[in-house]
Amino acid sequence: MHEPRVEAAPAGAQSGVRAIAGLLRRNGRRIALLFAGMLLPLWIFAELADEVHELEQFVFDDPILLRAHAFAGPGLDHFFLLVSRIGYEGVAVIDLLIVVSVLAMRRWREATFAAVAFVGSALLNLGAKQFFQRHRPTLWESISPEGTFSFPSGHAMGSMTLAATVVLLAWPTRARWPMIALMVAFTWLVGYSRIYLGVHFPSDILAGWMAGAAWVVAAYLALFHRVLHPWQERGGQPPQR
């Protein structure tokens, strides 16, 4: 009477293992993105935010600022002023162009993703600055002074939001690797420009990057939870044009 039950148990376990393996196989990329693109950045941001909230100083902030300032000169001043301007005004224009372009293609999900990523990131940054109210560095008089709060960096968060959105939209295409290289260079330059100009602590930049990445990935996972990635229909095949 008990033999069928004894045999059924291993069979049931094997079936469960196969089911779990299948789920991991089908959703492995999504799980990896969840961890690397959202949970890890959120953890880093939370650690930084906790220190800022407790008015603690980061040991790496002042040395990096002073090292960057040691290279200051007229040529670099002009260059990083331009990069900083692109990192704010230019990013806003590019954000708008992306949303309008994707809307013109009648790709409603992709356009919604981009709009939610860009607008949500800006609102989150404004709210976070008011909540933490961290004052900007005063190690030297900046050639591009700012009057708002410092944490997290709006330039860093905006550039990372743009970069992550573009990379995720480009991921199914052949342009993904060149786009990744371009966006990495762009976000680094924008972040470093704020340090060079002395208007942000490096921890502000890191927090902006982490918050921007986490928000974009959260929006992506929310809006593309039923499809593999952008530009595909629910059945998994590219739309016929």
Side-chain angles (χ1 to χ4, degrees):
M1 294 292 295
H2 295 287
E3 281 188 10
R5 294 181 181 178
V6 173
E7 293 176 358
Q14 291 175 2
S15 176
V17 169
R18 285 196 297 270
I20 293 171
L23 285 170
L24 291 175
R25 215 168 29 245
R26 291 190 299 272
N27 298 283
R29 184 182 300 176
R30 204 180 304 275
I31 293 170
L33 181 62
L34 174 66
F35 176 78
M38 190 169 80
L39 298 182
L40 184 59
L42 277 179
W43 175 74
I44 295 173
F45 178 83
E47 291 294 317
L48 294 168
D50 182 62
E51 296 298 311
V52 171
H53 186 63
E54 297 295 328
L55 302 179
E56 298 290 339
Q57 296 293 322
F58 295 94
V59 296
F60 57 84
D61 272 343
D62 287 359
I64 293 177
L65 276 166
L66 292 171
R67 185 173 181 83
H69 188 57
F71 295 100
L76 286 178
D77 286 354
H78 290 301
F79 175 72
F80 283 117
L81 281 170
L82 176 61
V83 170
S84 181
R85 185 173 181 180
I86 293 172
Y88 184 73
E89 297 173 9
V91 163
V93 172
I94 295 170
D95 289 350
L96 181 60
L97 288 175
I98 288 174
V99 174
V100 171
S101 298
V102 180
L103 281 173
M105 297 168 63
R106 302 176 67 85
R107 303 302 301 174
W108 313 124
R109 190 190 301 266
E110 288 78 4
T112 302
F113 163 61
V116 167
F118 299 148
V119 175
S121 176
L123 294 176
L124 283 173
N125 184 261
L126 291 173
K129 283 181 182 291
Q130 293 301 316
F131 178 80
F132 292 105
Q133 297 190 2
R134 188 188 199 186
H135 295 292
R136 293 180 182 268
T138 56
L139 294 179
W140 66 86
E141 186 176 352
S142 174
I143 59 174
S144 180
E146 297 280 357
T148 57
F149 293 116
S150 184
F151 183 92
S153 165
H155 280 68
M157 193 166 172
S159 61
M160 177 57 77
T161 298
L162 171 62
T165 302
V166 168
V167 167
L168 287 172
L169 287 174
W171 191 259
T173 72
R174 295 179 180 178
R176 61 181 172 183
W177 297 115
M179 196 59 65
I180 288 172
L182 178 63
M183 290 295 102
V184 167
F186 176 68
T187 53
W188 184 87
L189 277 173
V190 171
Y192 189 78
S193 74
R194 306 303 284 166
I195 295 172
Y196 176 89
L197 295 172
V199 292
H200 274 298
F201 294 103
S203 52
D204 298 332
I205 304 300
L206 182 59
W209 285 341
M210 295 301 102
W215 172 251
V216 172
V217 171
Y220 177 88
L221 292 174
L223 287 165
F224 292 99
H225 65 286
R226 292 185 180 274
V227 293
L228 182 61
H229 45 53
W231 318 115
Q232 287 193 342
E233 303 293 356
R234 186 167 296 184
Q237 297 299 322
Q240 298 298 320
R241 289 292 186 187

PDB file of all heavy atoms in Angstrom, residues 44-58:
ATOM      1  N   ILE A  44      23.239  50.330  -2.170  1.00  0.00           N
ATOM      2  CA  ILE A  44      24.328  51.316  -2.118  1.00  0.00           C
ATOM      3  C   ILE A  44      23.763  52.698  -1.812  1.00  0.00           C
ATOM      4  O   ILE A  44      24.307  53.435  -0.972  1.00  0.00           O
ATOM      5  CB  ILE A  44      25.108  51.324  -3.448  1.00  0.00           C
ATOM      6  CG1 ILE A  44      25.815  49.987  -3.652  1.00  0.00           C
ATOM      7  CG2 ILE A  44      26.132  52.469  -3.460  1.00  0.00           C
ATOM      8  CD1 ILE A  44      26.473  49.845  -5.017  1.00  0.00           C
ATOM      9  N   PHE A  45      22.662  53.061  -2.477  1.00  0.00           N
ATOM     10  CA  PHE A  45      22.052  54.359  -2.214  1.00  0.00           C
ATOM     11  C   PHE A  45      21.604  54.468  -0.763  1.00  0.00           C
ATOM     12  O   PHE A  45      21.793  55.516  -0.117  1.00  0.00           O
ATOM     13  CB  PHE A  45      20.858  54.590  -3.140  1.00  0.00           C
ATOM     14  CG  PHE A  45      20.150  55.893  -2.891  1.00  0.00           C
ATOM     15  CD1 PHE A  45      20.623  57.066  -3.456  1.00  0.00           C
ATOM     16  CD2 PHE A  45      19.020  55.956  -2.080  1.00  0.00           C
ATOM     17  CE1 PHE A  45      19.994  58.280  -3.216  1.00  0.00           C
ATOM     18  CE2 PHE A  45      18.378  57.159  -1.826  1.00  0.00           C
ATOM     19  CZ  PHE A  45      18.872  58.326  -2.400  1.00  0.00           C
ATOM     20  N   ALA A  46      21.010  53.403  -0.231  1.00  0.00           N
ATOM     21  CA  ALA A  46      20.540  53.426   1.160  1.00  0.00           C
ATOM     22  C   ALA A  46      21.705  53.618   2.121  1.00  0.00           C
ATOM     23  O   ALA A  46      21.579  54.354   3.118  1.00  0.00           O
ATOM     24  CB  ALA A  46      19.790  52.138   1.479  1.00  0.00           C
ATOM     25  N   GLU A  47      22.829  52.980   1.856  1.00  0.00           N
ATOM     26  CA  GLU A  47      24.003  53.142   2.712  1.00  0.00           C
ATOM     27  C   GLU A  47      24.506  54.586   2.669  1.00  0.00           C
ATOM     28  O   GLU A  47      24.840  55.176   3.707  1.00  0.00           O
ATOM     29  CB  GLU A  47      25.111  52.177   2.271  1.00  0.00           C
ATOM     30  CG  GLU A  47      24.812  50.719   2.537  1.00  0.00           C
ATOM     31  CD  GLU A  47      24.747  50.398   4.019  1.00  0.00           C
ATOM     32  OE1 GLU A  47      25.616  50.882   4.773  1.00  0.00           O
ATOM     33  OE2 GLU A  47      23.824  49.676   4.433  1.00  0.00           O
ATOM     34  N   LEU A  48      24.578  55.153   1.484  1.00  0.00           N
ATOM     35  CA  LEU A  48      25.012  56.549   1.351  1.00  0.00           C
ATOM     36  C   LEU A  48      24.023  57.494   2.023  1.00  0.00           C
ATOM     37  O   LEU A  48      24.417  58.417   2.749  1.00  0.00           O
ATOM     38  CB  LEU A  48      25.157  56.907  -0.125  1.00  0.00           C
ATOM     39  CG  LEU A  48      26.257  56.197  -0.915  1.00  0.00           C
ATOM     40  CD1 LEU A  48      26.081  56.441  -2.407  1.00  0.00           C
ATOM     41  CD2 LEU A  48      27.637  56.663  -0.466  1.00  0.00           C
ATOM     42  N   ALA A  49      22.741  57.256   1.775  1.00  0.00           N
ATOM     43  CA  ALA A  49      21.712  58.134   2.331  1.00  0.00           C
ATOM     44  C   ALA A  49      21.710  58.096   3.848  1.00  0.00           C
ATOM     45  O   ALA A  49      21.495  59.128   4.502  1.00  0.00           O
ATOM     46  CB  ALA A  49      20.340  57.725   1.793  1.00  0.00           C
ATOM     47  N   ASP A  50      21.948  56.941   4.424  1.00  0.00           N
ATOM     48  CA  ASP A  50      21.972  56.823   5.881  1.00  0.00           C
ATOM     49  C   ASP A  50      23.098  57.661   6.475  1.00  0.00           C
ATOM     50  O   ASP A  50      22.908  58.351   7.490  1.00  0.00           O
ATOM     51  CB  ASP A  50      22.135  55.353   6.280  1.00  0.00           C
ATOM     52  CG  ASP A  50      22.108  55.166   7.793  1.00  0.00           C
ATOM     53  OD1 ASP A  50      21.077  55.477   8.413  1.00  0.00           O
ATOM     54  OD2 ASP A  50      23.124  54.709   8.361  1.00  0.00           O
ATOM     55  N   GLU A  51      24.264  57.625   5.836  1.00  0.00           N
ATOM     56  CA  GLU A  51      25.397  58.421   6.317  1.00  0.00           C
ATOM     57  C   GLU A  51      25.119  59.920   6.179  1.00  0.00           C
ATOM     58  O   GLU A  51      25.438  60.707   7.072  1.00  0.00           O
ATOM     59  CB  GLU A  51      26.667  58.045   5.554  1.00  0.00           C
ATOM     60  CG  GLU A  51      27.124  56.614   5.779  1.00  0.00           C
ATOM     61  CD  GLU A  51      27.482  56.344   7.227  1.00  0.00           C
ATOM     62  OE1 GLU A  51      28.238  57.146   7.815  1.00  0.00           O
ATOM     63  OE2 GLU A  51      27.004  55.335   7.777  1.00  0.00           O
ATOM     64  N   VAL A  52      24.522  60.305   5.057  1.00  0.00           N
ATOM     65  CA  VAL A  52      24.202  61.721   4.857  1.00  0.00           C
ATOM     66  C   VAL A  52      23.152  62.173   5.865  1.00  0.00           C
ATOM     67  O   VAL A  52      23.239  63.273   6.429  1.00  0.00           O
ATOM     68  CB  VAL A  52      23.698  61.950   3.411  1.00  0.00           C
ATOM     69  CG1 VAL A  52      23.143  63.364   3.244  1.00  0.00           C
ATOM     70  CG2 VAL A  52      24.837  61.722   2.420  1.00  0.00           C
ATOM     71  N   HIS A  53      22.158  61.323   6.100  1.00  0.00           N
ATOM     72  CA  HIS A  53      21.110  61.668   7.062  1.00  0.00           C
ATOM     73  C   HIS A  53      21.682  61.848   8.471  1.00  0.00           C
ATOM     74  O   HIS A  53      21.204  62.691   9.245  1.00  0.00           O
ATOM     75  CB  HIS A  53      20.045  60.576   7.064  1.00  0.00           C
ATOM     76  CG  HIS A  53      18.847  60.903   7.903  1.00  0.00           C
ATOM     77  ND1 HIS A  53      18.012  61.970   7.632  1.00  0.00           N
ATOM     78  CD2 HIS A  53      18.340  60.321   9.020  1.00  0.00           C
ATOM     79  CE1 HIS A  53      17.048  62.022   8.533  1.00  0.00           C
ATOM     80  NE2 HIS A  53      17.234  61.036   9.389  1.00  0.00           N
ATOM     81  N   GLU A  54      22.712  61.062   8.799  1.00  0.00           N
ATOM     82  CA  GLU A  54      23.354  61.166  10.117  1.00  0.00           C
ATOM     83  C   GLU A  54      24.443  62.234  10.149  1.00  0.00           C
ATOM     84  O   GLU A  54      25.177  62.348  11.137  1.00  0.00           O
ATOM     85  CB  GLU A  54      23.967  59.814  10.500  1.00  0.00           C
ATOM     86  CG  GLU A  54      22.952  58.684  10.653  1.00  0.00           C
ATOM     87  CD  GLU A  54      22.002  58.916  11.813  1.00  0.00           C
ATOM     88  OE1 GLU A  54      22.437  59.535  12.802  1.00  0.00           O
ATOM     89  OE2 GLU A  54      20.834  58.490  11.725  1.00  0.00           O
ATOM     90  N   LEU A  55      24.574  62.989   9.047  1.00  0.00           N
ATOM     91  CA  LEU A  55      25.571  64.069   8.924  1.00  0.00           C
ATOM     92  C   LEU A  55      27.002  63.556   9.045  1.00  0.00           C
ATOM     93  O   LEU A  55      27.907  64.255   9.534  1.00  0.00           O
ATOM     94  CB  LEU A  55      25.313  65.159   9.973  1.00  0.00           C
ATOM     95  CG  LEU A  55      23.928  65.821   9.931  1.00  0.00           C
ATOM     96  CD1 LEU A  55      23.787  66.867  11.034  1.00  0.00           C
ATOM     97  CD2 LEU A  55      23.678  66.453   8.558  1.00  0.00           C
ATOM     98  N   GLU A  56      27.218  62.321   8.595  1.00  0.00           N
ATOM     99  CA  GLU A  56      28.555  61.742   8.605  1.00  0.00           C
ATOM    100  C   GLU A  56      29.322  62.185   7.358  1.00  0.00           C
ATOM    101  O   GLU A  56      28.737  62.462   6.315  1.00  0.00           O
ATOM    102  CB  GLU A  56      28.480  60.217   8.659  1.00  0.00           C
ATOM    103  CG  GLU A  56      27.802  59.661   9.902  1.00  0.00           C
ATOM    104  CD  GLU A  56      28.635  59.853  11.164  1.00  0.00           C
ATOM    105  OE1 GLU A  56      29.863  60.038  11.032  1.00  0.00           O
ATOM    106  OE2 GLU A  56      28.057  59.835  12.268  1.00  0.00           O
ATOM    107  N   GLN A  57      30.645  62.215   7.475  1.00  0.00           N
ATOM    108  CA  GLN A  57      31.495  62.571   6.354  1.00  0.00           C
ATOM    109  C   GLN A  57      32.086  61.315   5.725  1.00  0.00           C
ATOM    110  O   GLN A  57      32.463  60.381   6.428  1.00  0.00           O
ATOM    111  CB  GLN A  57      32.635  63.492   6.821  1.00  0.00           C
ATOM    112  CG  GLN A  57      32.172  64.828   7.362  1.00  0.00           C
ATOM    113  CD  GLN A  57      31.548  65.701   6.297  1.00  0.00           C
ATOM    114  OE1 GLN A  57      32.007  65.733   5.156  1.00  0.00           O
ATOM    115  NE2 GLN A  57      30.496  66.423   6.657  1.00  0.00           N
ATOM    116  N   PHE A  58      32.157  61.285   4.409  1.00  0.00           N
ATOM    117  CA  PHE A  58      32.775  60.165   3.705  1.00  0.00           C
ATOM    118  C   PHE A  58      34.262  60.444   3.548  1.00  0.00           C
ATOM    119  O   PHE A  58      34.654  61.535   3.103  1.00  0.00           O
ATOM    120  CB  PHE A  58      32.132  59.969   2.335  1.00  0.00           C
ATOM    121  CG  PHE A  58      30.679  59.561   2.405  1.00  0.00           C
ATOM    122  CD1 PHE A  58      29.670  60.519   2.346  1.00  0.00           C
ATOM    123  CD2 PHE A  58      30.322  58.231   2.549  1.00  0.00           C
ATOM    124  CE1 PHE A  58      28.340  60.157   2.413  1.00  0.00           C
ATOM    125  CE2 PHE A  58      28.993  57.859   2.623  1.00  0.00           C
ATOM    126  CZ  PHE A  58      27.994  58.817   2.562  1.00  0.00           C
TER     127      PHE A  58
END
